Amino acid sequence: SLGISTAIALGALVCIARSAPNTGVAGAYAAFTCAVLVWGWHELAFLTGWLTGPRKDACSAPLHGPTRFNEAVQTILWHELAIIGMGIAIAALTWGGANQVATWTFALLWVMRLSAKFNLFLGVRNRGEEFLPPHLLYLASYFRRRKINALLPLSVLAGTVVAVVMIASAIDASGAARTGLLLVASMLVLALIEHVLLVTPLPPTLLWRWALRSPATTAP
C-alpha cells in the first residue's frame, strides 16, 4: 500500500508543478486533489509505523507535563519534519505561479492537524484511541481525557474567522483563485467539525463502528 501511495504522491507532485501556472477552474481542482493525495502519503506512512519518530514507547511520566510533552514530540518528530519538508517542496514547485491552491491546501491540512494534536495532548472528551492500529497504541498514553481544554475554543474561533474571510474573498475572486478558495474553505469547515467532535458527548465510534474490529478480536 505504501509503495502504491508513493507512486501516486510522486505523480501528484508532478501535477502540482504543472498546474501552478494554470489559472482555470480545472487547474484549481487538480492542485487541490494532488495536494490531498500527497497528504495521504504522509498519513499512510505514519499509520503504518514507517514514518513516526525516534520514540516508540508509552509515556514514562504521564502526570509530568514537560516530560510528557518532550516524549510526545519524539513520537511524531520524523513525521512532522517530513510534512514541513514536503510543504516547502510544494511551495517551491508552485513559487511564482498564479495557482497556489496546492500550497494553501497542504498548509491548511498541516495547521489543522497540528491543532488537533495539541488539543489531544491538552485533553478532550473523545480521544479516538479506538482508531489507532495496534503498533501505535502507545500514542494513547500521550493523550489526556478532559471535557474540554482552553485551546480548543480558540482553535475553532480562529478557524471560523479564517473560513469566513476565505469565503468572502472567493466572492470577489474568479477562476482558479475562486474555486481554490472555496475548496480550501470547505476543507477547513470539515476540520472545524472534527475539532468540535473531539468534545461532543457522543461515542467517537458512532459513525465508524462498522469499520472497527469487534472487542472479541481486538488485542489487549
Side-chain angles (χ1 to χ4, degrees), residues 52 55-59 75 132 134-142:
T52 54
R55 183 176 178 83
K56 301 182 184 298
D57 299 301
C59 183
T75 62
L132 289 172
H135 55 274
L136 293 180
L137 284 176
Y138 62 89
L139 292 175
S141 66
Y142 299 94

Side-chain angles (χ1 to χ4, degrees), residues 113-135:
R113 179 51 59 89
L114 195 61
S115 171
K117 289 175 180 176
F118 274 115
N119 278 287
L120 282 169
F121 177 82
L122 294 174
V124 292
R125 184 191 298 267
N126 301 318
R127 304 188 306 176
E129 61 265 37
E130 300 90 346
F131 300 104
L132 289 172
H135 55 274

Side-chain angles (χ1 to χ4, degrees), residues 112 155-161 163 187-197:
M112 295 308 292
S155 299
V156 174
L157 177 61
T160 302
V161 171
M187 183 70 75
L188 177 54
V189 171
L190 290 175
L192 291 172
I193 293 174
E194 180 186 44
H195 275 60
V196 172
L197 290 176

Side-chain angles (χ1 to χ4, degrees), residues 17-200:
R18 294 191 175 184
S19 66
N22 191 330
T23 58
V25 172
Y29 276 106
F32 176 81
T33 302
C34 289
V36 172
L37 290 174
V38 174
W39 180 264
W41 180 89
H42 285 275
E43 289 293 324
L44 185 60
F46 180 78
L47 292 173
T48 55
W50 184 78
L51 187 63
T52 54
R55 183 176 178 83
K56 301 182 184 298
D57 299 301
C59 183
S60 63
L63 300 180
H64 189 254
T67 299
R68 188 164 66 95
F69 181 79
N70 179 58
E71 293 182 353
V73 170
Q74 293 181 46
T75 62
I76 60 172
L77 183 59
W78 306 145
H79 176 63
E80 291 299 324
L81 291 177
I83 290 176
I84 293 172
M86 184 62 73
I88 294 173
I90 291 176
L93 289 173
T94 60
W95 189 265
N99 183 359
Q100 293 294 314
V101 176
T103 302
W104 298 344
T105 303
F106 197 86
L108 172 72
L109 287 168
W110 177 60
V111 170
M112 295 308 292
R113 179 51 59 89
L114 195 61
S115 171
K117 289 175 180 176
F118 274 115
N119 278 287
L120 282 169
F121 177 82
L122 294 174
V124 292
R125 184 191 298 267
N126 301 318
R127 304 188 306 176
E129 61 265 37
E130 300 90 346
F131 300 104
L132 289 172
H135 55 274
L136 293 180
L137 284 176
Y138 62 89
L139 292 175
S141 66
Y142 299 94
F143 304 162
R144 188 176 179 185
R145 191 179 298 280
R146 298 169 62 185
K147 289 184 177 180
I148 196 171
N149 66 76
L151 176 63
L152 195 136
L154 295 176
S155 299
V156 174
L157 177 61
T160 302
V161 171
V162 173
V164 170
V165 171
M166 292 179 69
I167 294 172
S169 300
I171 296 175
D172 298 326
S174 61
R178 183 175 190 176
T179 303
L181 285 168
L182 291 175
L183 286 170
V184 178
S186 299
M187 183 70 75
L188 177 54
V189 171
L190 290 175
L192 291 172
I193 293 174
E194 180 186 44
H195 275 60
V196 172
L197 290 176
L198 291 174
V199 293
T200 52

